[in-house]
Amino acid sequence: MTAVSMTVNGQHVSAEIDPRTLLVQFLREHLRLTGTHVGCDTSQCGCCVVHVNGDAIKSCTTLAATCDGADVVTIEGLAKGDVLHPMQAAFRENHGLQCGFCTPGMIMTAVELVRRKGTDLDEHTIREELEGNLCRCTGYHNIVKAIGAGAQAMGAAAE
Amino acid sequence: MTATGIGASVRRKEDFRFVTGKGRYTDDVNRPGQAHAYFVRSPHAHATINKIDATEALKTKGVLAVLTGDDIAADKVGGLICGWMIHSKDGSPMKAGAHPALAQGKVRYVGDHVAVVIAETYAIARDAGEKVVVDYTVLPANADTASAAKPGAPVVHDVAPDNMVYDWKLGDKDATDAAFAKAKHVTKLEIVNNRLVPNPMEPRAAVGDYDEGNESFTLYTTSQNPHVARLVLSAFIGIAPEHKLRVIAPDVGGGFGSKIFIYAEETICVWAAKKVRRPVKWTSDRTEAFLSDAHGRDHVTHAELALDEAGKILGLRVKTIANLGAYLSTFSSSVPTYLYAPLLSGQYNIPAIYAEVDGVYTNTTPVDAYRGAGRPEATFVVERLMEVAAREIGRDPADFRRQNFVTQFPHQTPVIMCYDGGDYPKSLDKALELADYASIGKRKAESARKGLLRGIGISAYIEACGIAPSAAVGSLGAGVGLWESAEVRVNPVGTVEILTGSHSHGQGHETTFAQLVSDRLGISIDNVAIVHGDTDKVQMGMGTYGSRSGAVGMSAIVKALDKIEAKAKKVAGHVLEASPDDIEFKNGKFSVKGTDKEIDFASVALQAYIAHKFNGQELEPGLKESAFYDPTNFTFPAGVHICELEIDPQTGVVAIDKWTAVDDFGNLINPMIVEGQVHGGIAQGIGQALFEGAVYNKDGQLLTASYMDYQMPRAGDLLSYDIAVTNTPCPSNPLGIKGCGEAGAIAAPPAVVNALTDALGHEDVPMPATPQTLWRAAQRAVTKAAAQ
Ligand code: FES
Ligand code: FES
């Protein structure tokens, strides 16, 4: 067993875990934060994306033990109470989700994309940047729209 | 139209929980004391099992049990079933090989279930699974659709020594032969409809729980139709009678057909829960999903179209070999038969049609319904024939289609279906206009100047949704009725719960069904809750597939709402001291005709429950009604999709740069949601045409068992679509709905391939049309063009 401690959505957590525990397992099974999903076993789908120290990473391919001391944000940590993060609101407003399974990963990816590339994102950039995220329901049309609008809204909110 | 009523693009009520990570999917369910299951699967496509030795596995700390086919047999757990009987030409019933949930003596595909290890954690179960030693004698595999039933092919099931599940036919052979005899032109095509893996992003999962005190079971599972799962697990597999088995399908992360079926894994989880006296959980990983989720399509077809000298269609002849895999999955037998051949008339007047379908066994994963189920295969045959025929006789593909369109309704086709309404030329005209079809020549010339090959492809599809009148499907062999149920519970304060047998796994029923109620009762959609996916709450239902939730599921709600209104009028009559016949109901208010006396819906609900204003012997207190709705016909969504693309002959890379979709779905409840369904369908259709294909080698090994090898469409591969509608209300249900869930997946593959072949100087290309395939075809096209 290995001891880990980290901050998850602003709260300090520590636990004794099997060293092979993946970050996604730690989040889902130990902390019962089930908003982060697992859609594949080859690091291809992005359903599992969370932020670790501000970077969007695939929690299915990250050992929890390597996140010792890290600041982790999951989809559950994005809204402020009942007030949605602008990117969450944009997904709802633009019908950027159907079954919702890919959605947490999409939103976490999108939020970090805005941080890296700014709030004015063209369609081509958004589509290229989604290379690590699969959605089987939406055909991406409305996800692309949602991310563009969400980026704008994040810009407006920051002003 | 009100802001939240029928026809409004209301933002989805369910989205708050999904965008905040509060959805509750099956893998999010954890029961106290739960153990975990790992399935030991066959690494061979075809082998006899000589011995299973679990000694070492059982010694592993934390292992609770290792169960095999012997345990299934000892407990008399029934086999998995196929619920649609198909008869061969000679009248004999289809040959259904036994399908035990854990293999008994033989494995028939890679991924077949050999044993299950149940342990304290999934990691322990998986580790122990590696220690289960299985002694196999490997047999030659039968893994190729076209040759599966050839003499000498390895036999998959002894009940079908020639590997034929059935040889089925539809239509009039003599009339079709006569039509071909007088034809001026015959177009012939060889078609392979590639095998696909559905791949909803949420993998399948199950949690089985046994309550010793009540001797009852609960199964949480990723199902599109929990009541059907309960029925099959009870009546056929014999786990427990229906009143002792509760099936819950919570939030489900996409289905596309693959979660209709009753699989081995959930059967085992619920059965094993009683054996180990612990809840048992299993969640598929993606590789397991590739191996064990029912696949889709996989047809090999020869098709011929007969034309007269004026270009009128005289007849259509089709011979298809359909790969059904190693076992018959829940509805697999119906997909290449009654969900396929009845759509071969397309949007066209075809006087004579004859289709033969051989369903064959192979040592591959079972094949069943995947988005569209049979209808994409039929549309591909028809729309490829139309395109090729038009080019062969030197006609414009759009004009040739228009000339042969059905324009009078009702229209009886020679293959069962009676089309009830539509306007096919209207969709075509609108699509041609939006796609700027007229100036394609100019755009082709511009591409050619850049050394690129531009093509345009049309697909005019029709499909049958809203399945279906129960007696009609019964006469075709279905083992179940295909009605839907609804219950409307009005609470004393006027809020409403709708209990439905439909199931939402992305379709947004919590919003659209609430819109219907809001529209009808004049109450806020926030005061309507939709309850679904739990057999203890909803009495019965047939579930969601084939775009039936609007046409059938919502029609059941309408029927129950009719009863609510009638009863509420009686209550209102008593309160307002008027005859119920004089009561009008509008905008949420009951009023006495010609007076200003009125009472709102919530007050009537309260009066119904306090029951002070009427005699409880004459009028029952309360306000709750239920209904079963049996459809009167299939519905027939139809439309035209146009794909325009450019191929780089140097690389074989294709870029779709315009997609036009004009669909007729009848009346729309929520246009935003309908558009989303079309987007997703087109993406899957483009996926089939350009990227996706399950590949088996000759030994029956699935070479495409992960996202590294099976190319799913990604955002960067696709584009934004131009979508329009030409809605003609459906005459066959009270809401005029036709259904929209499969349209894109049906329409898109032939649109893409027609565009590719147009760009390639009519060189045929197989699906998926990968860059390598396209590069080769482009080289041939360039050489051919140079030679001319
Ligand atoms: S679960 Fe698929 S990339 Fe992490
Ligand atoms: S919304 Fe279902 S996978 Fe994206």
Side-chain angles (χ1 to χ4, degrees):
Chain A
M1 297 301 255
T2 312
V4 290
S5 49
M6 59 184 93
T7 307
V8 179
N9 300 333
Q11 300 213 319
H12 184 76
V13 296
S14 42
E16 290 283 320
I17 57 168
D18 184 338
R20 64 180 164 174
T21 305
L22 298 166
L23 179 59
V24 68
Q25 292 171 322
F26 184 66
L27 295 169
R28 289 181 55 81
E29 292 163 24
H30 291 250
L31 304 181
R32 293 283 189 246
L33 290 170
T34 54
T36 302
H37 297 150
V38 178
C40 75
D41 40 24
T42 50
S43 205
Q44 301 264 314
C45 77
C47 291
C48 60
V49 171
V50 299
H51 295 174
V52 173
N53 299 327
D55 293 332
I57 59 108
K58 288 181 169 171
S59 62
C60 72
T61 0
T62 305
L63 288 167
T66 65
C67 300
D68 194 40
D71 184 16
V72 177
V73 180
T74 71
I75 188 72
E76 288 93 341
L78 225 47
K80 293 204 168 44
D82 280 349
V83 182
L84 295 177
H85 183 282
M87 192 57 79
Q88 290 172 311
F91 268 71
R92 181 165 69 172
E93 183 57 28
N94 291 281
H95 190 32
L97 63 151
Q98 291 181 26
C99 79
F101 198 78
C102 71
T103 312
M106 288 285 179
I107 291 175
M108 298 311 281
T109 301
V111 169
E112 195 235 21
L113 166 61
V114 174
R115 205 144 37 198
R116 280 190 292 113
K117 298 241 158 165
T119 54
D120 265 327
L121 298 171
D122 61 29
E123 174 168 349
H124 180 76
T125 305
I126 297 170
R127 287 184 179 274
E128 290 303 312
E129 289 286 334
L130 287 180
E131 64 172 359
N133 293 71
L134 287 172
C135 172
R136 192 56 152 170
C137 297
T138 64
Y140 305 100
H141 182 116
N142 285 341
I143 290 181
V144 172
K145 247 169 78 181
I147 293 176
Q152 294 283 343
M154 281 172 71
E159 276 162 19
Chain B
M1 184 175 85
T2 64
T4 60
I6 290 174
S9 286
V10 178
R11 300 302 183 259
R12 299 200 321 171
K13 292 178 64 168
E14 45 272 81
D15 284 354
F16 185 84
R17 74 172 182 277
F18 292 133
V19 299
T20 53
K22 303 276 169 37
R24 187 165 180 258
Y25 301 87
T26 301
D27 189 50
D28 302 340
V29 172
N30 292 295
R31 304 296 300 155
Q34 129 194 316
H36 298 261
Y38 170 78
F39 285 86
V40 176
R41 295 174 185 274
S42 172
H44 307 295
H46 198 191
T48 47
I49 300 173
N50 303 318
K51 190 165 176 247
I52 301 173
D53 183 357
T55 321
E56 284 305 309
L58 282 165
K59 278 190 208 151
T60 310
K61 188 164 172 280
V63 170
L64 302 172
V66 178
L67 304 169
T68 68
D70 288 347
D71 300 291
I72 289 271
D75 281 10
K76 300 196 168 45
V77 175
L80 306 177
I81 60 148
C82 178
W84 198 305
M85 174 52 73
I86 299 294
H87 290 90
S88 286
K89 288 184 199 120
D90 65 4
S92 62
M94 67 186 186
K95 305 206 178 72
H99 190 182
L102 291 173
Q104 292 173 352
K106 206 176 179 200
V107 284
R108 293 184 172 84
Y109 66 100
V110 174
D112 205 351
H113 314 73
V114 175
V116 61
V117 181
I118 298 168
E120 295 291 345
T121 68
Y122 179 71
I124 296 172
R126 191 167 183 151
D127 286 348
E130 302 290 322
K131 299 181 197 158
V132 175
V133 182
V134 187
D135 178 27
Y136 296 102
T137 300
V138 178
L139 303 169
N142 180 342
D144 173 56
T145 308
S147 61
K150 292 255 165 75
V155 178
V156 180
H157 287 279
D158 293 342
V159 294
D162 52 1
N163 293 313
M164 292 280 281
V165 182
Y166 47 68
D167 64 336
W168 176 87
K169 69 166 172 59
L170 186 67
D172 187 333
K173 183 171 190 306
D174 294 341
T176 307
D177 287 347
F180 276 82
K182 60 176 198 240
K184 251 277 151 354
H185 181 86
V186 174
T187 292
K188 299 182 179 179
L189 265 184
E190 307 298 329
I191 291 170
V192 174
N193 204 288
N194 43 330
R195 178 186 276 242
L196 303 176
V197 184
N199 274 304
M201 291 318 300
E202 179 207 25
R204 287 189 298 119
V207 184
D209 200 351
Y210 179 63
D211 176 344
E212 278 182 64
N214 290 316
E215 297 175 305
S216 66
F217 295 86
T218 303
L219 170 65
Y220 300 83
T221 185
T222 47
S223 174
Q224 299 178 220
N225 46 349
H227 290 89
V228 177
R230 184 180 66 161
L231 176 70
V232 171
L233 287 165
S234 296
F236 297 94
I237 301 176
I239 298 279
E242 282 174 289
H243 66 293
K244 293 287 186 188
L245 174 59
R246 175 182 188 181
V247 178
I248 300 174
D251 286 328
V252 172
F256 314 113
S258 68
K259 292 171 181 169
I260 298 172
F261 321 122
I262 291 75
Y263 290 90
E265 291 87 356
E266 59 262 28
T267 304
I268 298 295
C269 283
V270 67
W271 165 70
K274 185 174 175 186
K275 282 204 97 68
V276 301
R277 304 276 158 164
R278 298 265 297 269
V280 175
K281 180 173 185 172
W282 168 78
T283 301
S284 177
D285 65 29
R286 184 56 61 183
T287 304
E288 282 185 289
F290 272 100
L291 293 175
S292 68
D293 290 5
H295 293 179
R297 321 283 191 254
D298 203 342
H299 285 193
V300 174
T301 294
H302 173 80
E304 302 182 353
L305 189 71
L307 307 175
D308 72 8
E309 58 285 342
K312 289 290 280 179
I313 303 172
L314 298 172
L316 171 65
R317 194 150 54 192
V318 173
K319 166 85 198 205
T320 291
I321 303 172
N323 188 345
L324 297 177
Y327 300 97
L328 296 185
S329 170
T330 315
F331 290 110
S332 65
S333 55
S334 66
V335 176
T337 50
Y338 288 112
L339 296 179
Y340 168 65
L343 277 304
L344 284 171
S345 197
Q347 298 187 356
Y348 310 106
N349 254 308
I350 307 184
I353 299 178
Y354 179 65
E356 288 183 343
V357 178
D358 291 351
V360 298
Y361 282 120
T362 57
N363 293 114
T364 63
T365 299
V367 178
D368 206 322
Y370 165 60
R371 200 168 196 169
R375 291 150 287 185
E377 296 91 315
T379 299
F380 194 79
V381 168
V382 173
E383 287 305 288
R384 285 291 295 135
L385 278 171
M386 293 303 286
E387 192 78 15
V388 173
R391 289 176 191 156
E392 284 178 353
I393 61 170
R395 293 278 304 277
D396 172 72
D399 287 343
F400 175 60
R401 285 181 169 86
R402 193 192 322 273
Q403 178 192 4
N404 285 288
F405 275 156
V406 170
T407 50
Q408 304 284 317
F409 297 93
H411 172 81
Q412 179 62 53
T413 72
V415 278
I416 302 176
M417 294 304 185
C418 182
Y419 299 165
D420 55 1
D423 188 342
Y424 307 148
K426 192 170 158 196
S427 294
L428 179 65
D429 290 341
K430 191 158 178 176
L432 293 174
E433 186 194 321
L434 291 174
D436 194 10
Y437 187 75
S439 54
I440 179 66
K442 215 171 105 206
R443 297 196 294 282
K444 280 185 177 180
E446 277 162 25
S447 297
R449 270 197 295 279
K450 291 183 277 176
L452 301 171
L453 304 169
R454 180 171 288 270
I456 194 162
I458 299 173
S459 168
Y461 74 95
I462 185 165
E463 71 144 327
C465 289
I467 39 181
S470 297
V473 292
S475 73
L476 304 179
V480 289
L482 288 170
W483 42 263
E484 194 47 85
S485 82
E487 189 177 320
V488 178
R489 293 182 185 168
V490 181
N491 297 312
V493 292
T495 59
V496 174
E497 281 140 36
I498 301 291
L499 290 81
T500 170
S502 296
H503 184 277
S504 181
H505 29 282
Q507 296 88 342
H509 295 172
E510 288 169 53
T511 305
T512 51
F513 288 15
Q515 284 179 256
L516 165 62
V517 177
S518 165
D519 197 88
R520 181 69 189 267
L521 300 181
I523 61 175
S524 159
I525 57 166
D526 296 333
N527 288 341
V528 184
I530 308 300
V531 178
H532 69 106
D534 184 340
T535 62
D536 261 16
K537 292 181 179 163
V538 180
Q539 185 239 338
M540 200 47 202
M542 296 311 297
T544 291
Y545 36 84
S547 296
R548 64 193 303 281
S549 299
V552 189
M554 291 181 91
S555 294
I557 299 173
V558 168
K559 216 173 148 188
L561 286 169
D562 289 342
K563 296 183 190 177
I564 290 283
E565 185 178 322
K567 168 99 184 261
K569 276 183 173 165
K570 287 185 191 164
V571 176
H574 284 285
V575 179
L576 300 175
E577 296 171 330
S579 153
D581 297 336
D582 292 332
I583 302 288
E584 278 179 337
F585 182 53
K586 254 204 336 246
N587 302 329
K589 294 223 167 26
F590 295 89
S591 59
V592 183
K593 265 183 226 163
T595 74
D596 57 0
K597 288 208 285 184
E598 63 172 32
I599 177 171
D600 67 9
F601 179 76
S603 306
V604 170
L606 184 65
Q607 289 295 338
Y609 283 95
I610 60 176
H612 294 169
K613 294 275 167 89
F614 53 88
N615 181 339
Q617 306 310 313
E618 286 163 12
L619 183 63
E620 281 182 26
L623 198 51
K624 179 183 89 147
E625 299 287 350
S626 62
F628 284 71
Y629 173 81
D630 202 46
T632 57
N633 191 359
F634 290 85
T635 66
F636 298 99
V640 172
H641 287 218
I642 299 180
C643 169
E644 189 172 331
L645 47 74
E646 231 173 18
I647 302 170
D648 183 342
Q650 301 301 318
T651 60
V653 170
V654 56
I656 299 178
D657 65 11
K658 190 165 170 59
W659 194 281
T660 309
V662 178
D663 298 292
D664 178 358
F665 296 134
N667 292 334
L668 308 183
I669 305 295
N670 183 322
M672 174 191 83
I673 288 179
V674 168
E675 284 179 14
Q677 289 289 316
V678 178
H679 298 157
I682 295 170
Q684 287 179 12
I686 294 175
Q688 168 163 31
L690 294 179
F691 312 122
E692 300 179 43
V695 180
Y696 283 93
N697 72 7
K698 67 175 187 354
D699 299 325
Q701 292 292 335
L702 181 61
L703 303 180
T704 49
S706 82
Y707 291 148
M708 311 282 276
D709 305 303
Y710 184 95
Q711 189 184 347
M712 294 274 281
R714 289 180 186 272
D717 301 322
L718 300 172
L719 70 163
S720 294
Y721 316 104
D722 294 334
I723 288 182
V725 285
T726 54
N727 294 336
T728 59
C730 175
S732 303
N733 61 62
L735 291 165
I737 294 176
K738 296 186 181 179
C740 63
E742 288 108 349
I746 294 171
V752 174
V753 175
N754 287 339
L756 292 171
T757 56
D758 183 45
L760 292 167
H762 309 178
E763 284 282 337
D764 200 359
V765 282
M767 297 191 292
T770 60
Q772 188 188 28
T773 314
L774 290 174
W775 181 81
R776 286 178 199 285
Q779 298 314 305
R780 285 196 302 273
V782 170
T783 315
K784 205 161 74 182
Q788 279 162 5

